[in-house]
Amino acid sequence: MTRAWQPVIGLEIHAQLSTASKLFSGAATAYGAEPNTQACMVDVALPGTLPVPNREAIRKAIRFGLAINARIASQSVFARKNYFYPDLPKGYQISQYELPIVAEGRLAVRMDDGHTFEVAIQRAHLEEDAGKSVHDAFHAQTGIDLNRAGIPLLEIVSEPVMHSAQEAVAYMRAVHTLVRWLGICDGNMQEGSFRCDANVSVRPAGEQKLGTRTEIKNVNSFRFVEKAIEYEIERQIRAIENGEAIVQETRLYDPAKHQTRPMRGKESADDYRYFPDPDLPPLLVDALDIARERAAMPELPDARRARYMQELGLPELDAVQLCGDRATADYFDAVLAQLPGEAKLCANWVLGEVAAALNEAALPIEASRITPDALATLLKRQREGVISGKIAKDVFAAIWAGEGDADSIIDRRGLRQISDTGALASAIDAVLAEYPGQTADYRSGQEKLFQFFVGQVMKRTKGQANPQQLNQLLKEKLAAPVES
């Protein structure tokens, strides 16, 4: 590179709204059905059929708007976006154009290094998805699956305010967390429920005018979004510095070759000949509708993260990780409800043992093999001194393996902590007698050997010695005068 360049990035995120039926028909939306078994006459616009907006999709769009402090339009309009494509049998897509239901929102985004920035969200509009072209099912032919035709989408359009692939991915993750937190989208990227188009341009550093942008279409992986944007930035800079012009176009990202390639010329809004759909009246949302949805809103991630830090005294990193998704935060709250005042202990276990077990089993926390109640009981036994922290981890593993609850495992295995002073003193005496050299070294000043003796007593008691009592008795024994 011969000069400094500034990338400019905006994202158009498509979030599939979690509704049982499509945006304008009663056809089902379940993923994985046999091709063309979930498309009705309305979805293909047969003559005589009329679309009817899905009330639940509208509610979910309003909730998203409230979550980003956006303006909810009292009157929005569905428009026809006209273009030809084989999997779009109507020849147009019902979307929103000039009057979207959500506009002018903002979302705070946290980077991995802890600093935050704010992304202006231009609009979030309702639209139906198109069908799907199937290229690999028939030799030399393309099939059409219309199961996705009419699937409700919320297209979330940011302003072009991001300047690196890392910022774009952080923003996309923040939206992903939010839509899942609100329960309006399952966020399943493998199934196409959450994907994005990335608009990328570059301009000389300090220049205000935007460069010519390209659009990378339909990327459904955080890693691929980052790779695709990085490649496109480098490609555009290299082209400009070689004296080439950037062509406004839609491009596809090929992860196998790690490159973008032209897909088609980029249309402008005029090319789509938007006009209000004559079959759909303006969508009216009144103050009562908004108030109803506001009352149903959950505590949002930022608010819960702040509460964890301010009211529970959790470190920022713990609060951030717990609020990475609502299910984890709810699980933590359920454990903490039974152990008030033990927020750090609960956080350590949820982010430690529970997260590790879930990761190893490739399970979401909703499918955890240890319920919040079962974990809370285990931690109570640790706090009561019935078992040590080390034994608690063994009991956790047994619960996870399906061996029963904490109390039954503790009793069956004889794991109750040894707090009897006489028994502990006897174990300590035996260890000191077994290691006379180390005992003498300790008493001559090598205090770092203390943990060696702790370990040996723990080994002798099979980890069941009460740590606090063991430490106190061991210090007393080692400090006692040596009998001659």
Side-chain angles (χ1 to χ4, degrees):
M1 298 179 194
T2 58
R3 60 186 303 183
W5 297 92
Q6 182 187 49
V8 181
I9 304 158
L11 297 187
E12 299 173 13
I13 294 174
H14 292 82
Q16 178 179 332
L17 296 172
S18 303
T19 59
S21 58
K22 293 185 177 179
L23 185 53
F24 298 111
S25 79
T29 58
Y31 178 80
E34 286 295 314
N36 296 311
T37 58
Q38 294 183 167
C40 69
M41 293 186 289
V42 174
D43 301 325
V44 297
L46 290 184
T49 62
L50 290 174
V52 177
N54 184 327
R55 187 183 298 273
E56 187 60 21
I58 295 166
R59 289 191 181 119
K60 292 179 187 296
I62 294 172
R63 283 180 211 168
F64 180 78
L66 293 173
I68 61 168
N69 292 313
R71 176 171 55 81
I72 310 299
S74 58
Q75 177 173 317
S76 62
V77 171
F78 287 110
R80 290 186 179 182
K81 181 181 180 181
N82 298 276
Y83 64 97
F84 171 78
Y85 214 69
D87 56 20
L88 188 67
K90 290 183 292 193
Y92 61 84
Q93 177 186 26
I94 303 177
S95 181
Q96 293 190 311
Y97 179 51
E98 291 182 321
L99 296 172
I101 188 170
V102 172
E104 300 171 5
R106 309 191 77 80
L107 184 64
V109 178
R110 187 181 190 280
M111 299 290 286
D112 289 341
D113 64 5
H115 91 267
T116 60
F117 66 101
E118 194 171 69
V119 173
I121 295 177
Q122 181 190 100
R123 57 191 283 139
H125 62 258
L126 288 160
E127 70 177 24
E128 60 177 353
D129 206 352
K132 178 182 177 183
S133 296
V134 182
H135 302 292
D136 55 359
F138 310 99
H139 177 66
Q141 293 180 313
T142 295
I144 301 296
D145 178 6
L146 295 176
N147 281 357
R148 285 202 67 85
I151 290 284
L153 302 177
L154 188 66
E155 181 171 337
I156 303 159
V157 183
S158 81
E159 296 287 357
V161 294
M162 291 162 277
H163 300 295
S164 71
Q166 292 70 36
E167 286 187 352
V169 171
Y171 163 68
M172 189 177 176
R173 286 187 185 278
V175 175
H176 187 256
T177 296
L178 183 59
V179 296
R180 294 179 68 237
W181 191 284
L182 294 169
I184 65 173
C185 170
D186 65 20
N188 192 318
M189 301 176 81
Q190 288 73 33
E191 295 177 1
S193 298
F194 190 86
R195 59 188 194 266
C196 90
D197 304 336
N199 291 294
V200 180
S201 65
V202 298
R203 62 187 176 190
E207 175 68 56
Q208 295 302 307
K209 183 181 177 183
L210 293 173
T212 302
R213 67 184 167 93
T214 59
E215 181 184 61
I216 308 169
K217 198 75 176 171
N218 277 336
V219 192
N220 64 347
S221 149
F222 295 121
R223 186 165 67 91
F224 290 164
V225 167
E226 182 172 357
K227 295 282 187 184
I229 292 174
E230 286 178 341
Y231 175 86
E232 187 60 17
I233 291 170
E234 293 177 6
R235 185 192 72 82
Q236 291 189 19
I237 292 173
R238 187 166 57 247
I240 294 171
E241 293 190 340
N242 288 335
E244 302 169 17
I246 301 300
V247 178
Q248 181 171 315
E249 61 186 359
T250 296
R251 299 178 70 87
L252 286 177
Y253 177 65
D254 184 338
K257 297 180 179 178
H258 177 42
Q259 61 181 219
T260 64
R261 64 171 185 268
M263 178 182 177
R264 61 173 184 258
K266 176 62 182 171
E267 301 86 349
S268 66
D270 290 343
D271 295 324
Y272 290 122
R273 293 168 291 124
Y274 282 98
F275 65 87
D277 192 309
D279 291 337
L280 287 160
L283 177 62
L284 304 179
V285 175
D286 62 25
L288 190 59
D289 295 325
I290 296 174
R292 189 182 302 114
E293 297 310 319
R294 193 187 299 279
M297 294 279 283
E299 182 183 33
L300 296 176
D302 286 351
R304 193 176 295 196
R305 187 163 53 242
R307 177 168 64 81
Y308 284 172
M309 295 167 62
Q310 293 165 9
E311 296 183 11
L312 303 182
L314 288 179
E316 181 179 8
L317 184 58
D318 285 4
V320 168
Q321 290 180 333
L322 288 170
C323 295
D325 69 89
R326 185 176 166 189
T328 299
D330 287 347
Y331 186 102
F332 166 75
D333 281 351
V335 178
L336 181 62
Q338 299 188 50
L339 287 155
E342 297 286 359
K344 183 55 181 167
L345 174 69
C346 296
N348 287 346
W349 276 82
V350 173
L351 298 175
E353 298 297 314
V354 175
L358 290 170
N359 186 53
E360 185 175 351
L363 290 173
I365 198 164
E366 297 92 327
S368 173
R369 295 172 187 162
I370 181 166
T371 65
D373 285 350
L375 180 60
T377 300
L378 173 62
L379 299 187
K380 284 178 183 175
R381 299 298 174 262
Q382 181 187 343
R383 271 292 179 254
E384 291 163 356
V386 174
I387 55 174
S388 66
K390 180 180 181 303
I391 294 294
K393 293 183 180 180
D394 294 338
V395 176
F396 174 90
I399 297 172
W400 187 268
E403 294 183 22
D405 59 29
D407 288 331
S408 65
I409 293 167
I410 291 168
D411 290 337
R412 189 168 62 249
R413 293 189 177 187
L415 298 175
R416 288 183 182 275
Q417 194 162 248
I418 299 173
S419 300
D420 177 77
T421 304
L424 287 176
S426 176
I428 293 170
D429 289 341
V431 167
L432 298 187
E434 185 177 356
Y435 297 99
Q438 288 87 342
T439 303
D441 289 343
Y442 177 88
R443 286 171 170 158
S444 65
Q446 295 187 37
E447 296 184 356
K448 62 182 181 182
L449 286 169
F450 186 80
Q451 289 305 319
F452 166 78
F453 293 115
V454 171
Q456 291 303 318
V457 177
M458 279 295 183
K459 184 178 179 182
R460 182 172 287 271
T461 60
K462 299 179 180 178
Q464 291 175 248
N466 183 307
Q468 291 181 333
Q469 287 183 286
L470 167 60
N471 284 352
Q472 182 180 347
L473 278 173
L474 184 57
K475 286 179 182 176
E476 291 172 2
K477 289 280 186 181
L478 288 168
V482 179
E483 295 181 4
S484 58

